[in-house]
Amino acid sequence: MEDNKEEIISKNFIEQEIDKDLSEGVYNHVQTRFPPEPNGYLHIGHAKSILLNYGLAKKYGGKFNLRFDDTNPTKEKTEFVESIIEDVKWLGAEFDDRLYFASNYFQEMYDCAVLLIKKGKAFVCDLTADEIREYRGDFKTPGKESPYRNRSVEENLTMFEEMKDGKYKDGEKVLRARIDMSSPNINMRDPVIYRVARMTHHNTGDTWCIYPMYDFAHPIEDAIEHITHSICTLEFEDHRPLYDWVVKECEFENPPRQIEFAKLYLTNVVTGKRYIKKLVEDNIVDGWEDPRLVSIAALRRRGYTPESLRMFVDLVGVSKANSSVDYAMLEYCIREDLKLKRPRMMAILDPIKLVIDNYPEDTTEYLDVANNLENPELGERKVPFGKELYIEREDFMEEPIKKYFRLFPGNEVRLMNAYFVTCTGCEKDENGNVTVVHCTYDPETKSGSGFEGRKVKGTIHWVAATTAQKVECRLYENIVDEEKGKLNEDGSLNLNPNSLTVLKNCYVEPSFEGVRAYDSYQFVRNGFFCVDCKDSTPEHLVFNRIVSLKSSFKIGK
Ligand code: ATP
Ligand code: MG
């Protein structure tokens, strides 16, 4: 009983509506869809919509369709269709063979329009777009009826057919629903449902020169596919009466119902296809999959996993109120996902040489290192160690500041997985920059040898110089800095000049043979990194930093 109660409480408002519909017999199954317009790449907001729709279908034993809402040929491209299919599959939202194109329903939509005309519920209107806008009125002023509103059914049928047959110029005539010009809801004031537009469509070519408007097409698409719950974002709330009108007047049996939820917005990143598109077109970023973007392709390239995005979407939940989610929450999810799954390697991003003066020349020792301290299942590997190592430049200070426990002359530290070393000094170039750090080691202190002598406060990581592989690492910051304002006064994006740092002289242990694009690792102290899918080659490995290791984000805060 207790369990049952908890389950009810944890249901979101959409699930509660679905439960109600099923118990009242409004529907006897659940069918959802994700209806992208193929006019750009998908982003994190779409991931939410995909996983929400797919998750509902799965939860209720129903089906989930992927349907391209390709009724507006101006901005649509096959490239986008392909990328969207790839992204939906990658997220794990299975649509099986249910891949549909709204453009395949153009004939049915046309037939629905003819039905409306026959019922006196639609008319051909000759007003220009400007006049239609003027006649429509606004929140305070009721609309004015079009002088063409009372054309006869016969005249409307003929003219609509002529529209289809190409007798009129683009914009010369439209078909409008005949609803109510005095409705308090402006969407109900005789909305345009078909327009003349000579455009070549990516699927139907030049077959049609009239195209349906979104508010008319979408409910018909849903109804044809027997969608039960048409889930969309809040801006369509005011369009719901029109949605209901269309499915009712077009006489669909068991019509779908629309339910709205709030869009997902993230801080410090650019969501919204329009802005992403602009960054891509202005060559500010490296295409739609630049790792600084939050398109799904970009997140994948950066090293995010489908599991991490699913966790994120679950954590965010669904709501009826618009709000922004902290980007740090996304970072929390990828850390959580990778921390037990991926090996922890040593990599030096900003190298400086450390020479162990009392270590034998030409000797390589192979040390046993656990791949993941928190997950023994990942096993161990051998890591070479020698006289010359690379360490992080910041791990040495000739004159240490307070509470600095790493290398400085006279101080002893632990080399991770290896020995204790004591710093003896450094070499510098003519400009006073440190070039080499010297130290001596204590052979008795080998890690794993059971040595329990002195305590040291600092542990630093390293990579043996002779066997090291030189690699490139790319570090990212947010592309816009929200604290300074996302937009400049002129409306352009306020870009962070430090959003990308390329480090070309990084060193990793020689354990990266055979790595493939998208493989990810924890680099000790430096964060999680992923092999870049575009620029990395076996000879020149390129890693993207997915996320650093620490965060201020705490779940439940
Ligand atoms: P954008 O505003 O980025 O251009 P869109 O809404 O125009 O996106 P569509 O391809 O029309 O993109 O949307 C496909 C589906 O994704 C729609 O059901 C839409 O409501 C949903 N969607 C779009 N953006 C978000 C978001 N930020 N959060 C949740 N769902 C979204
Ligand atoms: Mg859109």
Side-chain angles (χ1 to χ4, degrees):
M1 255 1 255
E2 269 305 293
D3 279 4
N4 232 337
K5 206 162 133 202
E6 241 170 67
E7 198 188 318
I8 292 164
I9 291 166
S10 70
K11 285 194 171 173
N12 65 45
F13 74 94
I14 297 178
E15 291 163 347
Q16 291 173 19
E17 289 295 315
I18 295 178
D19 282 349
K20 194 161 153 268
D21 287 342
L22 292 174
S23 70
E24 289 173 2
V26 181
Y27 303 110
N28 59 11
H29 69 292
V30 170
Q31 174 101 34
T32 59
R33 87 287 175 261
F34 174 65
E37 202 185 333
N39 61 355
Y41 280 58
L42 299 180
H43 54 62
I44 182 78
H46 296 115
K48 174 168 181 177
S49 177
I50 292 164
L51 293 171
L52 172 62
N53 279 292
Y54 172 69
L56 289 169
K58 209 169 158 195
K59 193 163 193 167
Y60 288 91
K63 286 179 179 147
F64 165 78
N65 298 355
L66 173 58
R67 178 210 313 145
F68 285 97
D69 207 333
D70 58 348
T71 54
N72 178 12
T74 44
K75 293 172 282 177
E76 293 163 1
K77 276 207 232 159
T78 313
E79 176 199 351
F80 298 140
V81 170
E82 284 161 7
S83 79
I84 290 171
I85 293 177
E86 185 184 353
D87 289 348
V88 173
K89 284 188 175 161
W90 180 75
L91 281 172
E94 290 154 29
F95 50 88
D96 304 321
D97 57 352
R98 292 179 304 280
L99 169 63
Y100 301 116
F101 289 84
S103 54
N104 287 339
Y105 310 142
F106 279 158
Q107 185 60 46
E108 279 104 322
M109 292 174 192
Y110 180 82
D111 295 341
C112 282
V114 169
L115 175 67
L116 291 183
I117 294 173
K118 286 184 178 157
K119 292 167 75 172
K121 302 276 183 179
F123 65 99
V124 174
C125 183
D126 300 3
L127 293 181
T128 64
D130 284 342
E131 286 166 335
I132 290 178
R133 204 169 308 124
E134 221 181 283
Y135 274 58
R136 189 181 297 140
D138 53 33
F139 289 113
K140 282 177 251 147
T141 339
K144 219 165 62 182
E145 292 188 352
S146 161
Y148 306 99
R149 197 174 197 264
N150 296 316
R151 275 181 167 146
S152 70
V153 168
E154 286 67 38
E155 196 181 359
N156 280 320
L157 284 174
T158 311
M159 284 184 160
F160 186 50
E161 193 168 355
E162 288 170 348
M163 279 170 67
K164 175 184 67 118
D165 292 341
K167 197 163 166 210
Y168 304 113
K169 291 198 291 286
D170 287 11
E172 196 179 334
K173 282 187 173 22
V174 292
L175 185 72
R176 298 176 66 178
R178 197 163 177 273
I179 309 179
D180 179 5
M181 287 309 286
S182 62
S183 169
N185 184 335
I186 292 177
N187 295 303
M188 300 298 274
R189 295 184 189 170
D190 294 3
V192 174
I193 57 176
Y194 257 98
R195 65 198 164 120
V196 180
R198 279 171 186 74
M199 293 185 289
T200 304
H201 189 279
H202 77 104
N203 180 23
T204 56
D206 294 317
T207 311
W208 296 89
C209 67
I210 54 171
Y211 289 98
M213 304 303 286
Y214 179 88
D215 279 342
F216 177 65
H218 202 86
I220 296 177
E221 295 158 24
D222 285 341
I224 289 173
E225 292 177 15
H226 304 293
I227 299 300
T228 53
H229 298 86
S230 175
I231 292 157
C232 67
T233 42
L234 280 185
E235 71 272 24
F236 291 102
E237 197 163 15
D238 292 344
H239 298 239
R240 195 189 328 138
L242 180 54
Y243 184 101
D244 292 340
W245 185 92
V246 171
V247 289
K248 177 169 162 268
E249 295 301 341
C250 294
E251 300 175 11
F252 284 101
E253 269 170 42
N254 216 233
R257 66 172 283 210
Q258 175 180 304
I259 302 177
E260 309 84 15
F261 72 100
K263 273 196 174 180
L264 169 66
Y265 294 101
L266 275 183
T267 56
N268 293 311
V269 295
V270 184
T271 37
K273 240 183 281 189
R274 199 160 52 92
Y275 285 121
I276 297 182
K277 201 172 201 153
K278 181 110 177 58
L279 291 172
V280 172
E281 282 167 0
D282 294 352
N283 286 319
I284 291 167
V285 294
D286 179 22
W288 286 93
E289 43 182 30
D290 184 293
R292 290 167 291 178
L293 299 175
V294 286
S295 60
I296 296 177
L299 291 167
R300 178 167 60 232
R301 180 172 174 198
R302 175 94 173 242
Y304 279 86
T305 57
E307 291 82 356
S308 65
L309 298 185
R310 289 202 285 265
M311 186 194 303
F312 176 69
V313 165
D314 283 347
L315 272 178
V316 171
V318 280
S319 111
K320 267 268 182 204
N322 279 319
S323 66
S324 274
V325 176
D326 196 339
Y327 184 78
M329 191 155 147
L330 191 57
E331 299 190 316
Y332 166 85
C333 294
I334 187 67
R335 271 190 212 103
E336 281 299 299
D337 184 42
L338 296 182
K339 79 179 183 201
L340 295 183
K341 276 197 215 162
R342 307 301 305 159
R344 181 171 174 254
M345 317 290 272
M346 293 200 280
I348 302 296
L349 301 193
D350 182 15
I352 185 170
K353 220 169 225 185
L354 176 71
V355 179
I356 309 172
D357 292 314
N358 62 339
Y359 192 86
E361 304 269 350
D362 302 325
T363 303
T364 301
E365 236 183 300
Y366 285 87
L367 306 174
D368 292 319
V369 174
N371 282 327
N372 188 319
L373 293 175
E374 291 169 76
N375 181 6
E377 276 177 27
L378 292 189
E380 287 191 342
R381 69 182 185 284
K382 298 270 183 208
V383 177
F385 181 82
K387 187 180 178 76
E388 296 199 354
L389 310 170
Y390 290 112
I391 59 168
E392 298 286 355
R393 184 167 286 275
E394 62 166 33
D395 285 345
F396 171 75
M397 280 186 116
E398 197 178 11
E399 289 169 28
I401 50 168
K402 253 197 183 154
K403 298 215 170 155
Y404 188 81
F405 300 122
R406 291 172 264 171
L407 283 172
F408 56 85
N411 193 40
E412 186 170 54
V413 302
R414 181 201 310 272
L415 291 177
M416 188 176 281
N417 306 308
Y419 298 94
F420 284 19
V421 292
T422 303
C423 182
T424 53
C426 66
E427 293 172 37
K428 292 185 207 173
D429 64 14
E430 62 270 28
N431 300 318
N433 298 317
V434 176
T435 50
V436 180
V437 178
H438 286 274
C439 67
T440 55
Y441 86 122
D442 178 351
E444 303 298 312
T445 59
K446 187 171 174 177
S447 168
S449 67
F451 173 74
E452 289 199 15
R454 327 178 273 284
K455 287 248 180 306
V456 287
K457 277 195 167 157
T459 299
I460 65 174
H461 68 285
W462 49 272
V463 166
T466 49
T467 48
Q469 183 175 3
K470 196 183 226 184
V471 302
E472 177 177 328
C473 289
R474 299 175 181 171
L475 310 186
Y476 302 100
E477 283 180 22
N478 293 327
I479 195 153
V480 288
D481 189 344
E482 208 133 278
E483 269 164 32
K484 297 194 197 101
K486 214 165 187 164
L487 297 181
N488 294 315
E489 270 171 22
D490 64 358
S492 61
L493 284 166
N494 184 14
L495 297 171
N496 171 6
N498 304 318
S499 60
L500 170 65
T501 305
V502 179
L503 302 173
K504 292 203 178 264
N505 295 308
C506 308
Y507 290 100
V508 294
E509 350 163 349
S511 318
F512 287 89
E513 233 167 82
V515 295
R516 287 175 309 181
Y518 304 110
D519 283 353
S520 57
Y521 300 90
Q522 182 178 153
F523 286 175
V524 172
R525 290 165 68 205
N526 284 316
F528 287 99
F529 287 74
C530 168
V531 178
D532 188 63
C533 62
K534 211 166 162 183
D535 301 331
S536 190
T537 63
E539 296 73 41
H540 178 73
L541 292 177
V542 177
F543 290 94
N544 297 314
R545 178 149 75 185
I546 312 168
V547 66
S548 59
L549 294 178
K550 294 232 168 61
S551 154
S552 53
F553 179 80
K554 288 261 160 32
I555 196 120
K557 255 198 174 175

